[in-house]
Every structure is written in structure tokens, then in C-alpha cells.
PDB file of all heavy atoms in Angstrom:
ATOM      1  N   GLY A   6      -5.198  18.858   5.926  1.00  0.00           N
ATOM      2  CA  GLY A   6      -6.573  18.990   5.435  1.00  0.00           C
ATOM      3  C   GLY A   6      -7.643  19.088   6.509  1.00  0.00           C
ATOM      4  O   GLY A   6      -8.812  19.139   6.190  1.00  0.00           O
ATOM      5  N   THR A   7      -7.256  19.094   7.723  1.00  0.00           N
ATOM      6  CA  THR A   7      -8.222  19.258   8.820  1.00  0.00           C
ATOM      7  C   THR A   7      -8.747  20.711   8.870  1.00  0.00           C
ATOM      8  O   THR A   7      -7.952  21.638   8.806  1.00  0.00           O
ATOM      9  CB  THR A   7      -7.645  18.874  10.204  1.00  0.00           C
ATOM     10  OG1 THR A   7      -7.212  17.507  10.152  1.00  0.00           O
ATOM     11  CG2 THR A   7      -8.680  19.023  11.318  1.00  0.00           C
ATOM     12  N   THR A   8     -10.052  20.888   8.966  1.00  0.00           N
ATOM     13  CA  THR A   8     -10.635  22.229   8.911  1.00  0.00           C
ATOM     14  C   THR A   8     -11.209  22.680  10.214  1.00  0.00           C
ATOM     15  O   THR A   8     -11.630  21.867  11.088  1.00  0.00           O
ATOM     16  CB  THR A   8     -11.731  22.234   7.841  1.00  0.00           C
ATOM     17  OG1 THR A   8     -12.761  21.288   8.149  1.00  0.00           O
ATOM     18  CG2 THR A   8     -11.160  21.915   6.488  1.00  0.00           C
ATOM     19  N   THR A   9     -11.247  23.999  10.370  1.00  0.00           N
ATOM     20  CA  THR A   9     -11.834  24.641  11.572  1.00  0.00           C
ATOM     21  C   THR A   9     -12.615  25.829  11.088  1.00  0.00           C
ATOM     22  O   THR A   9     -12.202  26.568  10.145  1.00  0.00           O
ATOM     23  CB  THR A   9     -10.746  25.094  12.503  1.00  0.00           C
ATOM     24  OG1 THR A   9      -9.936  23.968  12.946  1.00  0.00           O
ATOM     25  CG2 THR A   9     -11.361  25.750  13.768  1.00  0.00           C
ATOM     26  N   TYR A  10     -13.773  26.105  11.713  1.00  0.00           N
ATOM     27  CA  TYR A  10     -14.621  27.244  11.334  1.00  0.00           C
ATOM     28  C   TYR A  10     -15.057  28.031  12.567  1.00  0.00           C
ATOM     29  O   TYR A  10     -15.262  27.450  13.634  1.00  0.00           O
ATOM     30  CB  TYR A  10     -15.882  26.747  10.580  1.00  0.00           C
ATOM     31  CG  TYR A  10     -15.583  25.966   9.323  1.00  0.00           C
ATOM     32  CD1 TYR A  10     -15.507  24.601   9.350  1.00  0.00           C
ATOM     33  CD2 TYR A  10     -15.477  26.665   8.135  1.00  0.00           C
ATOM     34  CE1 TYR A  10     -15.222  23.890   8.199  1.00  0.00           C
ATOM     35  CE2 TYR A  10     -15.201  25.958   6.956  1.00  0.00           C
ATOM     36  CZ  TYR A  10     -15.083  24.609   7.040  1.00  0.00           C
ATOM     37  OH  TYR A  10     -14.823  23.897   5.851  1.00  0.00           O
ATOM     38  N   THR A  11     -15.205  29.318  12.368  1.00  0.00           N
ATOM     39  CA  THR A  11     -15.848  30.111  13.408  1.00  0.00           C
ATOM     40  C   THR A  11     -17.331  29.740  13.446  1.00  0.00           C
ATOM     41  O   THR A  11     -17.904  29.267  12.457  1.00  0.00           O
ATOM     42  CB  THR A  11     -15.694  31.616  13.127  1.00  0.00           C
ATOM     43  OG1 THR A  11     -16.066  32.359  14.300  1.00  0.00           O
ATOM     44  CG2 THR A  11     -16.509  32.061  11.945  1.00  0.00           C
ATOM     45  N   ASP A  12     -17.913  29.935  14.601  1.00  0.00           N
ATOM     46  CA  ASP A  12     -19.301  29.482  14.777  1.00  0.00           C
ATOM     47  C   ASP A  12     -20.274  30.028  13.714  1.00  0.00           C
ATOM     48  O   ASP A  12     -21.166  29.322  13.212  1.00  0.00           O
ATOM     49  CB  ASP A  12     -19.852  29.875  16.172  1.00  0.00           C
ATOM     50  CG  ASP A  12     -19.216  29.002  17.270  1.00  0.00           C
ATOM     51  OD1 ASP A  12     -18.706  27.932  16.959  1.00  0.00           O
ATOM     52  OD2 ASP A  12     -19.289  29.411  18.436  1.00  0.00           O
ATOM     53  N   SER A  13     -20.115  31.304  13.351  1.00  0.00           N
ATOM     54  CA  SER A  13     -21.009  31.914  12.397  1.00  0.00           C
ATOM     55  C   SER A  13     -20.900  31.309  11.011  1.00  0.00           C
ATOM     56  O   SER A  13     -21.775  31.505  10.170  1.00  0.00           O
ATOM     57  CB  SER A  13     -20.765  33.412  12.342  1.00  0.00           C
ATOM     58  OG  SER A  13     -19.526  33.723  11.861  1.00  0.00           O
ATOM     59  N   ALA A  14     -19.754  30.656  10.687  1.00  0.00           N
ATOM     60  CA  ALA A  14     -19.516  30.123   9.392  1.00  0.00           C
ATOM     61  C   ALA A  14     -19.893  28.625   9.262  1.00  0.00           C
ATOM     62  O   ALA A  14     -20.093  28.159   8.139  1.00  0.00           O
ATOM     63  CB  ALA A  14     -18.053  30.231   9.000  1.00  0.00           C
ATOM     64  N   LYS A  15     -20.027  27.969  10.406  1.00  0.00           N
ATOM     65  CA  LYS A  15     -20.306  26.524  10.393  1.00  0.00           C
ATOM     66  C   LYS A  15     -21.609  26.253   9.676  1.00  0.00           C
ATOM     67  O   LYS A  15     -22.630  26.886   9.900  1.00  0.00           O
ATOM     68  CB  LYS A  15     -20.348  26.009  11.814  1.00  0.00           C
ATOM     69  CG  LYS A  15     -19.013  25.986  12.531  1.00  0.00           C
ATOM     70  CD  LYS A  15     -19.146  25.456  13.975  1.00  0.00           C
ATOM     71  CE  LYS A  15     -17.798  25.467  14.659  1.00  0.00           C
ATOM     72  NZ  LYS A  15     -17.898  25.083  16.070  1.00  0.00           N
ATOM     73  N   GLY A  16     -21.592  25.277   8.776  1.00  0.00           N
ATOM     74  CA  GLY A  16     -22.751  24.918   8.021  1.00  0.00           C
ATOM     75  C   GLY A  16     -23.012  25.706   6.771  1.00  0.00           C
ATOM     76  O   GLY A  16     -23.873  25.320   5.974  1.00  0.00           O
ATOM     77  N   ARG A  17     -22.304  26.796   6.611  1.00  0.00           N
ATOM     78  CA  ARG A  17     -22.481  27.657   5.455  1.00  0.00           C
ATOM     79  C   ARG A  17     -21.210  27.783   4.587  1.00  0.00           C
ATOM     80  O   ARG A  17     -21.328  27.888   3.393  1.00  0.00           O
ATOM     81  CB  ARG A  17     -22.918  29.082   5.878  1.00  0.00           C
ATOM     82  CG  ARG A  17     -24.220  29.138   6.659  1.00  0.00           C
ATOM     83  CD  ARG A  17     -24.637  30.579   6.853  1.00  0.00           C
ATOM     84  NE  ARG A  17     -23.655  31.321   7.633  1.00  0.00           N
ATOM     85  CZ  ARG A  17     -23.163  32.500   7.259  1.00  0.00           C
ATOM     86  NH1 ARG A  17     -23.509  33.029   6.067  1.00  0.00           N
ATOM     87  NH2 ARG A  17     -22.314  33.122   8.044  1.00  0.00           N
ATOM     88  N   PHE A  18     -20.065  27.754   5.215  1.00  0.00           N
ATOM     89  CA  PHE A  18     -18.775  27.973   4.499  1.00  0.00           C
ATOM     90  C   PHE A  18     -17.985  26.642   4.488  1.00  0.00           C
ATOM     91  O   PHE A  18     -18.056  25.860   5.450  1.00  0.00           O
ATOM     92  CB  PHE A  18     -17.933  29.044   5.189  1.00  0.00           C
ATOM     93  CG  PHE A  18     -18.477  30.441   5.179  1.00  0.00           C
ATOM     94  CD1 PHE A  18     -19.725  30.704   4.598  1.00  0.00           C
ATOM     95  CD2 PHE A  18     -17.762  31.471   5.702  1.00  0.00           C
ATOM     96  CE1 PHE A  18     -20.255  31.990   4.561  1.00  0.00           C
ATOM     97  CE2 PHE A  18     -18.259  32.771   5.655  1.00  0.00           C
ATOM     98  CZ  PHE A  18     -19.494  33.033   5.115  1.00  0.00           C
ATOM     99  N   THR A  19     -17.217  26.504   3.427  1.00  0.00           N
ATOM    100  CA  THR A  19     -16.345  25.321   3.297  1.00  0.00           C
ATOM    101  C   THR A  19     -14.972  25.782   2.821  1.00  0.00           C
ATOM    102  O   THR A  19     -14.871  26.383   1.760  1.00  0.00           O
ATOM    103  CB  THR A  19     -16.933  24.305   2.355  1.00  0.00           C
ATOM    104  OG1 THR A  19     -18.205  23.874   2.761  1.00  0.00           O
ATOM    105  CG2 THR A  19     -16.014  23.071   2.325  1.00  0.00           C
ATOM    106  N   ILE A  20     -13.964  25.454   3.596  1.00  0.00           N
ATOM    107  CA  ILE A  20     -12.573  25.740   3.187  1.00  0.00           C
ATOM    108  C   ILE A  20     -11.954  24.511   2.580  1.00  0.00           C
ATOM    109  O   ILE A  20     -12.200  23.399   3.057  1.00  0.00           O
ATOM    110  CB  ILE A  20     -11.744  26.306   4.382  1.00  0.00           C
ATOM    111  CG1 ILE A  20     -10.378  26.752   3.918  1.00  0.00           C
ATOM    112  CG2 ILE A  20     -11.606  25.244   5.487  1.00  0.00           C
ATOM    113  CD1 ILE A  20      -9.573  27.496   5.019  1.00  0.00           C
ATOM    114  N   SER A  21     -11.157  24.677   1.585  1.00  0.00           N
ATOM    115  CA  SER A  21     -10.525  23.537   0.927  1.00  0.00           C
ATOM    116  C   SER A  21      -9.224  24.039   0.271  1.00  0.00           C
ATOM    117  O   SER A  21      -8.971  25.216   0.209  1.00  0.00           O
ATOM    118  CB  SER A  21     -11.393  22.896  -0.117  1.00  0.00           C
ATOM    119  OG  SER A  21     -11.689  23.831  -1.157  1.00  0.00           O
ATOM    120  N   ARG A  22      -8.382  23.087  -0.106  1.00  0.00           N
ATOM    121  CA  ARG A  22      -7.119  23.432  -0.741  1.00  0.00           C
ATOM    122  C   ARG A  22      -6.786  22.399  -1.815  1.00  0.00           C
ATOM    123  O   ARG A  22      -7.078  21.241  -1.746  1.00  0.00           O
ATOM    124  CB  ARG A  22      -5.970  23.548   0.279  1.00  0.00           C
ATOM    125  CG  ARG A  22      -5.622  22.227   1.005  1.00  0.00           C
ATOM    126  CD  ARG A  22      -4.710  22.478   2.213  1.00  0.00           C
ATOM    127  NE  ARG A  22      -3.446  23.026   1.842  1.00  0.00           N
ATOM    128  CZ  ARG A  22      -2.591  23.605   2.656  1.00  0.00           C
ATOM    129  NH1 ARG A  22      -2.929  23.710   3.949  1.00  0.00           N
ATOM    130  NH2 ARG A  22      -1.437  24.077   2.190  1.00  0.00           N
ATOM    131  N   ASP A  23      -6.124  22.907  -2.852  1.00  0.00           N
ATOM    132  CA  ASP A  23      -5.665  22.077  -3.917  1.00  0.00           C
ATOM    133  C   ASP A  23      -4.158  22.326  -4.046  1.00  0.00           C
ATOM    134  O   ASP A  23      -3.717  23.320  -4.649  1.00  0.00           O
ATOM    135  CB  ASP A  23      -6.346  22.401  -5.241  1.00  0.00           C
ATOM    136  CG  ASP A  23      -6.003  21.448  -6.366  1.00  0.00           C
ATOM    137  OD1 ASP A  23      -4.926  20.819  -6.303  1.00  0.00           O
ATOM    138  OD2 ASP A  23      -6.784  21.304  -7.330  1.00  0.00           O
ATOM    139  N   ASN A  24      -3.357  21.497  -3.402  1.00  0.00           N
ATOM    140  CA  ASN A  24      -1.903  21.773  -3.337  1.00  0.00           C
ATOM    141  C   ASN A  24      -1.258  21.692  -4.719  1.00  0.00           C
ATOM    142  O   ASN A  24      -0.299  22.366  -4.997  1.00  0.00           O
ATOM    143  CB  ASN A  24      -1.243  20.757  -2.388  1.00  0.00           C
ATOM    144  CG  ASN A  24      -1.640  20.995  -0.950  1.00  0.00           C
ATOM    145  OD1 ASN A  24      -1.961  22.155  -0.568  1.00  0.00           O
ATOM    146  ND2 ASN A  24      -1.571  19.965  -0.136  1.00  0.00           N
ATOM    147  N   ALA A  25      -1.794  20.826  -5.582  1.00  0.00           N
ATOM    148  CA  ALA A  25      -1.232  20.751  -6.941  1.00  0.00           C
ATOM    149  C   ALA A  25      -1.404  22.051  -7.735  1.00  0.00           C
ATOM    150  O   ALA A  25      -0.575  22.362  -8.576  1.00  0.00           O
ATOM    151  CB  ALA A  25      -1.917  19.624  -7.727  1.00  0.00           C
ATOM    152  N   LYS A  26      -2.401  22.808  -7.405  1.00  0.00           N
ATOM    153  CA  LYS A  26      -2.664  24.104  -8.067  1.00  0.00           C
ATOM    154  C   LYS A  26      -2.204  25.264  -7.226  1.00  0.00           C
ATOM    155  O   LYS A  26      -2.377  26.418  -7.623  1.00  0.00           O
ATOM    156  CB  LYS A  26      -4.156  24.268  -8.370  1.00  0.00           C
ATOM    157  CG  LYS A  26      -4.688  23.239  -9.353  1.00  0.00           C
ATOM    158  CD  LYS A  26      -6.132  23.484  -9.665  1.00  0.00           C
ATOM    159  CE  LYS A  26      -6.677  22.466 -10.679  1.00  0.00           C
ATOM    160  NZ  LYS A  26      -8.102  22.672 -10.957  1.00  0.00           N
ATOM    161  N   ASN A  27      -1.631  25.016  -6.046  1.00  0.00           N
ATOM    162  CA  ASN A  27      -1.168  26.059  -5.141  1.00  0.00           C
ATOM    163  C   ASN A  27      -2.292  27.048  -4.837  1.00  0.00           C
ATOM    164  O   ASN A  27      -2.106  28.269  -4.813  1.00  0.00           O
ATOM    165  CB  ASN A  27       0.060  26.828  -5.709  1.00  0.00           C
ATOM    166  CG  ASN A  27       1.323  25.993  -5.744  1.00  0.00           C
ATOM    167  OD1 ASN A  27       1.415  24.983  -5.049  1.00  0.00           O
ATOM    168  ND2 ASN A  27       2.266  26.439  -6.521  1.00  0.00           N
ATOM    169  N   THR A  28      -3.469  26.500  -4.587  1.00  0.00           N
ATOM    170  CA  THR A  28      -4.673  27.332  -4.421  1.00  0.00           C
ATOM    171  C   THR A  28      -5.479  26.875  -3.236  1.00  0.00           C
ATOM    172  O   THR A  28      -5.637  25.654  -3.023  1.00  0.00           O
ATOM    173  CB  THR A  28      -5.507  27.357  -5.714  1.00  0.00           C
ATOM    174  OG1 THR A  28      -4.732  27.812  -6.790  1.00  0.00           O
ATOM    175  CG2 THR A  28      -6.696  28.317  -5.543  1.00  0.00           C
ATOM    176  N   MET A  29      -6.008  27.797  -2.507  1.00  0.00           N
ATOM    177  CA  MET A  29      -6.941  27.531  -1.392  1.00  0.00           C
ATOM    178  C   MET A  29      -8.247  28.278  -1.678  1.00  0.00           C
ATOM    179  O   MET A  29      -8.242  29.349  -2.251  1.00  0.00           O
ATOM    180  CB  MET A  29      -6.276  27.999  -0.079  1.00  0.00           C
ATOM    181  CG  MET A  29      -6.999  27.608   1.169  1.00  0.00           C
ATOM    182  SD  MET A  29      -7.923  29.019   1.891  1.00  0.00           S
ATOM    183  CE  MET A  29      -6.586  30.193   2.239  1.00  0.00           C
ATOM    184  N   TYR A  30      -9.363  27.660  -1.195  1.00  0.00           N
ATOM    185  CA  TYR A  30     -10.682  28.163  -1.524  1.00  0.00           C
ATOM    186  C   TYR A  30     -11.520  28.332  -0.276  1.00  0.00           C
ATOM    187  O   TYR A  30     -11.348  27.678   0.722  1.00  0.00           O
ATOM    188  CB  TYR A  30     -11.382  27.208  -2.454  1.00  0.00           C
ATOM    189  CG  TYR A  30     -10.659  26.876  -3.710  1.00  0.00           C
ATOM    190  CD1 TYR A  30      -9.888  25.707  -3.792  1.00  0.00           C
ATOM    191  CD2 TYR A  30     -10.714  27.658  -4.861  1.00  0.00           C
ATOM    192  CE1 TYR A  30      -9.253  25.383  -4.945  1.00  0.00           C
ATOM    193  CE2 TYR A  30     -10.061  27.333  -6.027  1.00  0.00           C
ATOM    194  CZ  TYR A  30      -9.305  26.193  -6.014  1.00  0.00           C
ATOM    195  OH  TYR A  30      -8.615  25.858  -7.194  1.00  0.00           O
ATOM    196  N   LEU A  31     -12.487  29.259  -0.396  1.00  0.00           N
ATOM    197  CA  LEU A  31     -13.585  29.369   0.598  1.00  0.00           C
ATOM    198  C   LEU A  31     -14.881  29.441  -0.142  1.00  0.00           C
ATOM    199  O   LEU A  31     -15.161  30.490  -0.817  1.00  0.00           O
ATOM    200  CB  LEU A  31     -13.357  30.617   1.500  1.00  0.00           C
ATOM    201  CG  LEU A  31     -14.375  30.762   2.580  1.00  0.00           C
ATOM    202  CD1 LEU A  31     -14.206  29.641   3.638  1.00  0.00           C
ATOM    203  CD2 LEU A  31     -14.262  32.104   3.276  1.00  0.00           C
ATOM    204  N   GLN A  32     -15.670  28.375  -0.074  1.00  0.00           N
ATOM    205  CA  GLN A  32     -16.997  28.375  -0.652  1.00  0.00           C
ATOM    206  C   GLN A  32     -17.937  28.964   0.393  1.00  0.00           C
ATOM    207  O   GLN A  32     -18.085  28.380   1.487  1.00  0.00           O
ATOM    208  CB  GLN A  32     -17.401  26.992  -1.047  1.00  0.00           C
ATOM    209  CG  GLN A  32     -18.783  26.858  -1.641  1.00  0.00           C
ATOM    210  CD  GLN A  32     -18.977  27.526  -2.919  1.00  0.00           C
ATOM    211  OE1 GLN A  32     -18.154  27.413  -3.814  1.00  0.00           O
ATOM    212  NE2 GLN A  32     -20.045  28.361  -3.084  1.00  0.00           N
ATOM    213  N   MET A  33     -18.652  30.009   0.043  1.00  0.00           N
ATOM    214  CA  MET A  33     -19.560  30.667   0.946  1.00  0.00           C
ATOM    215  C   MET A  33     -20.957  30.607   0.436  1.00  0.00           C
ATOM    216  O   MET A  33     -21.275  31.120  -0.648  1.00  0.00           O
ATOM    217  CB  MET A  33     -19.162  32.128   1.170  1.00  0.00           C
ATOM    218  CG  MET A  33     -17.733  32.323   1.657  1.00  0.00           C
ATOM    219  SD  MET A  33     -17.328  34.053   2.059  1.00  0.00           S
ATOM    220  CE  MET A  33     -17.428  34.757   0.450  1.00  0.00           C
ATOM    221  N   ASN A  34     -21.825  29.921   1.162  1.00  0.00           N
ATOM    222  CA  ASN A  34     -23.229  29.718   0.837  1.00  0.00           C
ATOM    223  C   ASN A  34     -24.129  30.411   1.874  1.00  0.00           C
ATOM    224  O   ASN A  34     -23.685  30.709   2.976  1.00  0.00           O
ATOM    225  CB  ASN A  34     -23.614  28.272   0.704  1.00  0.00           C
ATOM    226  CG  ASN A  34     -22.805  27.529  -0.320  1.00  0.00           C
ATOM    227  OD1 ASN A  34     -22.467  28.057  -1.363  1.00  0.00           O
ATOM    228  ND2 ASN A  34     -22.546  26.256  -0.072  1.00  0.00           N
ATOM    229  N   SER A  35     -25.338  30.637   1.497  1.00  0.00           N
ATOM    230  CA  SER A  35     -26.328  31.238   2.402  1.00  0.00           C
ATOM    231  C   SER A  35     -25.788  32.518   3.018  1.00  0.00           C
ATOM    232  O   SER A  35     -25.841  32.733   4.245  1.00  0.00           O
ATOM    233  CB  SER A  35     -26.741  30.251   3.483  1.00  0.00           C
ATOM    234  OG  SER A  35     -27.337  29.097   2.899  1.00  0.00           O
ATOM    235  N   LEU A  36     -25.221  33.401   2.219  1.00  0.00           N
ATOM    236  CA  LEU A  36     -24.555  34.568   2.706  1.00  0.00           C
ATOM    237  C   LEU A  36     -25.599  35.546   3.380  1.00  0.00           C
ATOM    238  O   LEU A  36     -26.719  35.616   2.950  1.00  0.00           O
ATOM    239  CB  LEU A  36     -23.846  35.300   1.581  1.00  0.00           C
ATOM    240  CG  LEU A  36     -22.501  34.640   1.202  1.00  0.00           C
ATOM    241  CD1 LEU A  36     -22.066  35.116  -0.181  1.00  0.00           C
ATOM    242  CD2 LEU A  36     -21.445  34.917   2.231  1.00  0.00           C
ATOM    243  N   LYS A  37     -25.103  36.216   4.405  1.00  0.00           N
ATOM    244  CA  LYS A  37     -25.904  37.141   5.166  1.00  0.00           C
ATOM    245  C   LYS A  37     -25.213  38.544   5.103  1.00  0.00           C
ATOM    246  O   LYS A  37     -24.000  38.607   4.873  1.00  0.00           O
ATOM    247  CB  LYS A  37     -25.953  36.726   6.639  1.00  0.00           C
ATOM    248  CG  LYS A  37     -26.510  35.320   6.848  1.00  0.00           C
ATOM    249  CD  LYS A  37     -26.431  34.915   8.305  1.00  0.00           C
ATOM    250  CE  LYS A  37     -26.954  33.484   8.511  1.00  0.00           C
ATOM    251  NZ  LYS A  37     -26.859  33.080   9.989  1.00  0.00           N
ATOM    252  N   PRO A  38     -25.975  39.591   5.305  1.00  0.00           N
ATOM    253  CA  PRO A  38     -25.339  40.921   5.343  1.00  0.00           C
ATOM    254  C   PRO A  38     -24.231  40.991   6.355  1.00  0.00           C
ATOM    255  O   PRO A  38     -23.281  41.757   6.137  1.00  0.00           O
ATOM    256  CB  PRO A  38     -26.546  41.833   5.723  1.00  0.00           C
ATOM    257  CG  PRO A  38     -27.732  41.129   5.173  1.00  0.00           C
ATOM    258  CD  PRO A  38     -27.452  39.643   5.385  1.00  0.00           C
TER     259      PRO A  38
END
């Protein structure tokens, strides 16, 4: 569950995983062109 982000994503994107659902997510906020 340890996370790493590229500099441009830090503070805006959040990666997470739900192993029980076999699913991984990327929440993206404050999106830019």
C-alpha cells in the first residue's frame, strides 16, 4: 500500500487499491490540459 507519484501528480492524484475487489483506482482532481 505504499504510494509513489510523479511530481506533476503530487497533491492532485491519489492511487489506491481494493484487493478484495481486485481493483485499483486513480482519483484525479484539479485536472489540467
Side-chain angles (χ1 to χ4, degrees):
T7 301
T8 59
T9 302
Y10 300 92
T11 190
D12 286 342
S13 65
K15 291 178 181 176
R17 300 188 299 126
F18 294 2
T19 303
I20 188 172
S21 62
R22 63 192 298 164
D23 187 338
N24 291 333
K26 297 181 179 179
N27 290 342
T28 304
M29 189 256 298
Y30 305 95
L31 184 67
Q32 178 67 46
M33 303 186 293
N34 298 326
S35 301
L36 283 163
K37 305 174 181 179

